[in-house]
Amino acid sequence: MATIRLGDIAPDFTAETSQGTLNFYDYLEDGWGILFSHPADFTPVCTTELGTAAKFKGEFEKRNVKMMALSVDGAASHEEWIKDINETQNTVVNFPIIADEDRKVSDLYDMIHPNADDTLTVRSVFIIGPDKKVKLILTYPASTGRNFYELLRVIDSLQLTAHHKVATPANWEHGEKVVVSPSIPTDEAKNIFSKGVEEVKPYLRLTPDPTA
């Protein structure tokens, strides 16, 4: 089992899901993707997460991001669990959940950490770019639910920095000032960034969000 690192090509797979048999790459097409795993069906934290993910689908779609979840239980179990999620979270699950009974995808993405639990997946998150490379990896313990606002924030940063020579500072949110790439001399930066460059230190230059 290979460890996946940032910049690696995300492994492709075909799997049974709550929306039928899907190929991961075909599902993502030319857009962004987020793949996140759940320890098991009918677990309380996962129920809140999948309900939250469904409510956030519109925000992800604005960013051209498709979601796919994973649990190690079967499709029939997923179908019953989705009814519970819809009922308790007042939403409609509107994205596929992989039925990974044989742990094929879990092993492919190193989602099972034996020192945490040798049968259940940890709460892994992989954000994948249009080039099919892994842009972000987050791993939560089974007891801690994910923050979907943070996932949106990270995607905003990844998409901004993919097209502009900037980085985003701590706690950055869309529309706030960004950091000019250290590789760009200040004089050149002033020509590139028409909204202005604020030189706090020679190595720390700020400019307004070029997309705001």
Side-chain angles (χ1 to χ4, degrees), residues 47 109 135 149-150 158 210:
T47 299
Y109 278 80
K135 306 298 183 183
Y149 291 103
E150 169 63 3
L158 288 168

PDB file of all heavy atoms in Angstrom, residues 47 109 135 149-150 158 210:
ATOM      1  N   THR A  47     -23.067  10.988  10.267  1.00  0.00           N
ATOM      2  CA  THR A  47     -24.410  11.394   9.870  1.00  0.00           C
ATOM      3  C   THR A  47     -24.494  12.918   9.771  1.00  0.00           C
ATOM      4  O   THR A  47     -25.056  13.463   8.808  1.00  0.00           O
ATOM      5  CB  THR A  47     -25.444  10.853  10.876  1.00  0.00           C
ATOM      6  OG1 THR A  47     -25.370   9.418  10.871  1.00  0.00           O
ATOM      7  CG2 THR A  47     -26.853  11.289  10.522  1.00  0.00           C
ATOM      8  N   TYR A 109      -6.097   4.570  -1.087  1.00  0.00           N
ATOM      9  CA  TYR A 109      -5.859   5.921  -0.566  1.00  0.00           C
ATOM     10  C   TYR A 109      -5.329   5.921   0.878  1.00  0.00           C
ATOM     11  O   TYR A 109      -5.288   6.962   1.510  1.00  0.00           O
ATOM     12  CB  TYR A 109      -7.148   6.745  -0.647  1.00  0.00           C
ATOM     13  CG  TYR A 109      -7.373   7.324  -2.032  1.00  0.00           C
ATOM     14  CD1 TYR A 109      -7.898   6.557  -3.063  1.00  0.00           C
ATOM     15  CD2 TYR A 109      -7.037   8.647  -2.317  1.00  0.00           C
ATOM     16  CE1 TYR A 109      -8.095   7.076  -4.333  1.00  0.00           C
ATOM     17  CE2 TYR A 109      -7.225   9.184  -3.581  1.00  0.00           C
ATOM     18  CZ  TYR A 109      -7.751   8.393  -4.586  1.00  0.00           C
ATOM     19  OH  TYR A 109      -7.932   8.918  -5.839  1.00  0.00           O
ATOM     20  N   LYS A 135      -4.050  17.898  -4.128  1.00  0.00           N
ATOM     21  CA  LYS A 135      -3.695  19.261  -3.725  1.00  0.00           C
ATOM     22  C   LYS A 135      -3.712  19.447  -2.223  1.00  0.00           C
ATOM     23  O   LYS A 135      -3.048  20.345  -1.688  1.00  0.00           O
ATOM     24  CB  LYS A 135      -4.669  20.262  -4.352  1.00  0.00           C
ATOM     25  CG  LYS A 135      -4.804  20.154  -5.865  1.00  0.00           C
ATOM     26  CD  LYS A 135      -3.484  20.429  -6.577  1.00  0.00           C
ATOM     27  CE  LYS A 135      -3.673  20.393  -8.090  1.00  0.00           C
ATOM     28  NZ  LYS A 135      -2.401  20.592  -8.811  1.00  0.00           N
ATOM     29  N   TYR A 149     -16.585  24.582   6.347  1.00  0.00           N
ATOM     30  CA  TYR A 149     -16.186  25.958   6.023  1.00  0.00           C
ATOM     31  C   TYR A 149     -14.688  26.006   5.715  1.00  0.00           C
ATOM     32  O   TYR A 149     -14.242  26.735   4.829  1.00  0.00           O
ATOM     33  CB  TYR A 149     -16.518  26.911   7.168  1.00  0.00           C
ATOM     34  CG  TYR A 149     -17.989  27.134   7.367  1.00  0.00           C
ATOM     35  CD1 TYR A 149     -18.673  26.501   8.404  1.00  0.00           C
ATOM     36  CD2 TYR A 149     -18.710  27.971   6.517  1.00  0.00           C
ATOM     37  CE1 TYR A 149     -20.035  26.707   8.588  1.00  0.00           C
ATOM     38  CE2 TYR A 149     -20.068  28.178   6.690  1.00  0.00           C
ATOM     39  CZ  TYR A 149     -20.726  27.538   7.737  1.00  0.00           C
ATOM     40  OH  TYR A 149     -22.073  27.742   7.911  1.00  0.00           O
ATOM     41  N   GLU A 150     -13.909  25.235   6.454  1.00  0.00           N
ATOM     42  CA  GLU A 150     -12.465  25.192   6.211  1.00  0.00           C
ATOM     43  C   GLU A 150     -12.166  24.556   4.853  1.00  0.00           C
ATOM     44  O   GLU A 150     -11.273  25.004   4.134  1.00  0.00           O
ATOM     45  CB  GLU A 150     -11.759  24.422   7.331  1.00  0.00           C
ATOM     46  CG  GLU A 150     -10.299  24.087   7.079  1.00  0.00           C
ATOM     47  CD  GLU A 150      -9.376  25.299   6.940  1.00  0.00           C
ATOM     48  OE1 GLU A 150      -9.850  26.461   7.090  1.00  0.00           O
ATOM     49  OE2 GLU A 150      -8.189  25.101   6.664  1.00  0.00           O
ATOM     50  N   LEU A 158      -6.621  27.305  -2.952  1.00  0.00           N
ATOM     51  CA  LEU A 158      -5.990  26.482  -3.987  1.00  0.00           C
ATOM     52  C   LEU A 158      -6.309  27.002  -5.383  1.00  0.00           C
ATOM     53  O   LEU A 158      -5.435  27.062  -6.256  1.00  0.00           O
ATOM     54  CB  LEU A 158      -6.468  25.030  -3.850  1.00  0.00           C
ATOM     55  CG  LEU A 158      -5.940  24.237  -2.659  1.00  0.00           C
ATOM     56  CD1 LEU A 158      -6.717  22.939  -2.502  1.00  0.00           C
ATOM     57  CD2 LEU A 158      -4.452  23.950  -2.811  1.00  0.00           C
ATOM     58  N   PRO A 210      -6.589  39.394  -6.093  1.00  0.00           N
ATOM     59  CA  PRO A 210      -6.750  39.756  -7.502  1.00  0.00           C
ATOM     60  C   PRO A 210      -8.099  39.329  -8.092  1.00  0.00           C
ATOM     61  O   PRO A 210      -8.475  39.813  -9.169  1.00  0.00           O
ATOM     62  CB  PRO A 210      -5.596  39.043  -8.202  1.00  0.00           C
ATOM     63  CG  PRO A 210      -5.069  38.045  -7.256  1.00  0.00           C
ATOM     64  CD  PRO A 210      -5.460  38.466  -5.879  1.00  0.00           C
TER      65      PRO A 210
END
